[in-house]
Amino acid sequence: MFCYLCTMSQQILILDFGSQYTQLIARRVRELNVYCEIHPFNKVPAITENIKGVILSGSPCSVRDNNAPAVDIKAFGNIPVLGVCYGAQLIAHQNGGKVMPSTAREYGRAKLSTVDHHNSLLKEISLDTQVWMSHADTIMSIPDNFEVIASTSSVAIAAYKVKDTNVFGIQFHPEVTHTVEGKNLLRNFVVHICGCAQDWTPDQFVEATIDDLKKKLGNDKVVMALSGGVDSTVAATLIHRAIGKNLHCIFVDNGLLRKNEFAQVLDSYKHMGLNIKGVDAKDQFYTALKGLSDPEAKRKAIGKTFIDVFDQESHKISDVKWLGQGTIYPDIIESVSVKGPSVTIKSHHNVGGLPEKMKLKVVEPLSTLFKDEVRIVGKTLNIDNSILSRHPFPGPGLGIRILGDITAEKVSILQEVDNIFISGLRNHGLYDKVWQAGAILTPLQSVGVMGDERTYERVVSLRAVTSTDGMTADWAHLPYEFLAEVSSDIINKVKGVNRVVYDISSKPPATIEWE
């Protein structure tokens, strides 16, 4: 759905054909301070006057397939259109151009050997600039009313324009960093061709959101679960700025938080002026988790118990009309993906089952923002950096970092290990260089020697990754000296652990969490 804040502002419509890079296109457009939204190709919204341009994404499909995803760009009228990779091939194919399998799969870096600098899309794009190719098909020929505006040594039609229109196609990906001047090309399209004003800023978002929340919520009461994470904190702050004490926040200790996290987060929220209640529900969660080893079973037990606890506490507040949530834009995109609704929903943000159970309306002030944009808005709201820079933490907490069944003893061991690791990252100035870090308690035991005694104790794995959005991640190349120091501290200070390993798997093929 369209953002209720932005229906009157200028925006770019991005149609998703299933490319892994579609979200990157949106991020790059927003970096230009221009609002944009992603919609599936088969769910095109009404074309209103505030839509200033359309971008067609890439796709793993071929335009030659019988059931190839398609959209008729004639329905957009005179609005400028930019087809990227599959999008470019689709426009050419629909107009009589020839798209054929590439003689060799064109994937990786290439250089533009010809560039029409008179064309508005390629203004100030350098000859021999590096671009990123990723396509199994190639546009072999284009209709007479098309003109080639860029080529590489192996791709004759790397970019084209439909004559006497503002319809363009490019067979490379401007959204990835490997296309060195990709952001310049997108600026040419979005700002110069589409005429978008670059006025979608954090300050404007905060002002418009708070005004809208005031109108939407009035004197109604809102209840909201906080997690200590960035998304729920920023969402709660926006709602609080709009309705003050009518926002009732609940922070549940599920017994799976980091060491001392419950007290620390509760204290930080109170200093922010939020109307918040802490609920110690550790025993309820441990009871629900008793004997469960399967990751999905543990997740479901944690989710159900959270719903029960939150529902109980919410009913202690009279006349609540709304449920506040920290849903962010990637959650929304996944739920309406061209691949179908998302199978799993973040348990911290989207509390599945609660709106139906509690008969509440849902308010999601961050549902149009990406993670990095949420942090920028948080800075605009003067939220403390210790919260904004906090690493992502899974909704089920340590419950999915303890492989196998959950016990209070295992949680205590992992909390101590995790605390040594995270504190070490902070003390060595490494915390902000890592996107996410944590420890995993494995079900393995190994032989060791401590003093004159042989031991048979637990193995823990440390995990730290670098990333921008969690969609892909590389293992963090932490200094050996640091890892040696942390390993020694853990083995010497945490009873029950005698071996520490470091996970050097990237995503893909591995995931960031182990469960």
Side-chain angles (χ1 to χ4, degrees), residues 86 226 322 338 351:
Y86 178 89
L226 297 190
W322 298 83
V338 296
V351 189

Side-chain angles (χ1 to χ4, degrees), residues 284-322:
Q284 286 173 254
F285 281 88
Y286 290 156
T287 299
L289 286 164
K290 188 174 182 179
L292 298 181
S293 297
D294 178 74
E296 189 59 26
K298 290 191 291 185
R299 286 178 183 272
K300 287 180 178 178
I302 293 168
K304 181 182 183 304
T305 306
F306 178 84
I307 288 174
D308 291 342
V309 172
F310 188 77
D311 187 40
Q312 291 165 13
E313 293 300 324
S314 298
H315 277 95
K316 296 176 183 178
I317 308 165
S318 62
D319 301 321
V320 173
K321 300 285 182 65
W322 298 83

Side-chain angles (χ1 to χ4, degrees), residues 217-224 239 243 245-248 275 316-324 360-361 363:
L217 302 175
N219 293 318
D220 291 351
K221 290 182 182 179
V222 178
V223 65
M224 183 171 183
I239 297 172
I243 64 173
K245 295 295 183 182
N246 275 344
L247 171 64
H248 295 259
N275 178 20
K316 296 176 183 178
I317 308 165
S318 62
D319 301 321
V320 173
K321 300 285 182 65
W322 298 83
L323 174 69
L360 297 178
K361 294 178 284 186
V363 56

